[in-house]
Amino acid sequence: RTLIELNRIPEALEQLEPLAAAADRDARFQAGRILQELATRRLADLRRTAPGSAELHELTGRRLELEGRLADALAEYRAAARKSADRPGMQYLIGNILWRQREMAGAETALRRELAGNPFHGMANLRLGQVLLNADRAEPSIPVLERAAQAMPASSPEGLLARRELGKAYRKLDRNEQALAQWEPVAKALPGDAVEIRA
């Protein structure tokens, strides 16, 4: 907090990094609070110095998404994309909101746009794979989900989810051994996770 008050933000972030990864829940909570305060400060700075910028729309959208205001967040992300059409990650953010709202056609379009510019974006591949699986398009979902599983650390929550979804795609195509190879590490890491055995 002292470093932040002295406006030495990079040094403050270095000090926060080990706290954010600490085993102590209270330390992680405090680190999260400080990071949230920094984000609020950055948002206020952008409102003053760059009103209407793509960055401001993106940060506002992220905050609204965290608050669960998905329609408002989507509007902000779309405004950011209009301001800066080639801004990395924007189409993923749009596609992710549309996926959460179950608007699969729009989600697929946005996610494919993101992947056209960044084919190894792990979460964009994961979401697109989920969209394809939702539409019973298991065959085209496999290469997408394979890229998702390769792009993310295997033990991370996202990596485990990618493997679980890839297993589902294999299972739908009766590629049971490949499905089990994906599900076994997930079952070890998340013993309470119920994996669908039937297609």
Side-chain angles (χ1 to χ4, degrees):
R1 288 187 182 277
T2 302
L3 289 168
I4 291 168
E5 287 174 20
L6 295 171
N7 206 27
R8 293 165 53 184
I9 306 303
E11 292 171 82
L13 290 173
E14 283 179 29
Q15 296 298 315
L16 283 172
E17 190 174 339
L19 288 176
D24 181 358
R25 290 178 60 182
D26 188 51
R28 286 197 320 269
F29 176 77
Q30 292 302 325
R33 279 185 54 187
I34 293 169
L35 289 171
Q36 188 175 18
E37 290 169 19
L38 278 173
T40 300
R41 210 167 123 178
R42 176 72 175 131
L43 188 58
D45 288 346
L46 275 174
R47 283 190 176 128
R48 271 194 315 277
T49 60
S53 67
E55 293 84 359
L56 177 60
H57 286 295
E58 181 181 346
L59 279 176
T60 302
R62 287 181 185 269
R63 183 172 193 145
L64 291 166
E65 185 176 358
L66 285 173
E67 294 171 2
R69 297 170 54 190
L70 299 184
D72 294 333
L74 181 60
E76 291 293 336
Y77 291 151
R78 284 180 167 156
R82 283 192 299 275
K83 295 270 183 186
S84 179
D86 58 347
R87 188 169 175 76
M90 287 314 309
Q91 291 300 318
Y92 162 70
L93 292 171
I94 292 168
N96 187 51
I97 293 279
L98 292 170
W99 175 81
R100 290 177 67 186
Q101 294 178 325
R102 313 313 292 163
E103 294 180 31
M104 297 302 172
E108 181 175 353
T109 300
L111 294 166
R112 287 192 185 279
R113 282 185 189 143
E114 183 66 38
L115 292 169
N118 183 4
F120 300 103
H121 188 295
M123 285 303 298
N125 276 296
L126 174 58
R127 288 293 183 248
L128 179 57
Q130 290 174 311
V131 166
L132 295 171
L133 274 177
N134 185 65
D136 288 324
R137 293 160 56 196
E139 188 73 46
S141 78
I142 287 177
V144 175
L145 290 168
E146 287 174 340
R147 279 193 301 275
Q150 291 168 359
M152 296 183 280
S155 61
S156 70
E158 297 83 4
L160 291 168
L161 179 57
R163 294 187 82 156
R164 180 154 88 44
E165 297 298 294
L166 181 55
K168 285 182 188 179
Y170 286 142
R171 176 65 182 105
K172 284 181 181 277
L173 296 171
D174 292 321
R175 293 165 60 177
N176 298 330
E177 286 185 28
Q178 288 173 294
L180 285 172
Q182 295 301 317
W183 286 340
E184 284 174 349
V186 175
K188 285 179 186 168
L190 304 170
D193 189 46
V195 175
E196 295 176 17
I197 301 302
R198 294 188 181 88

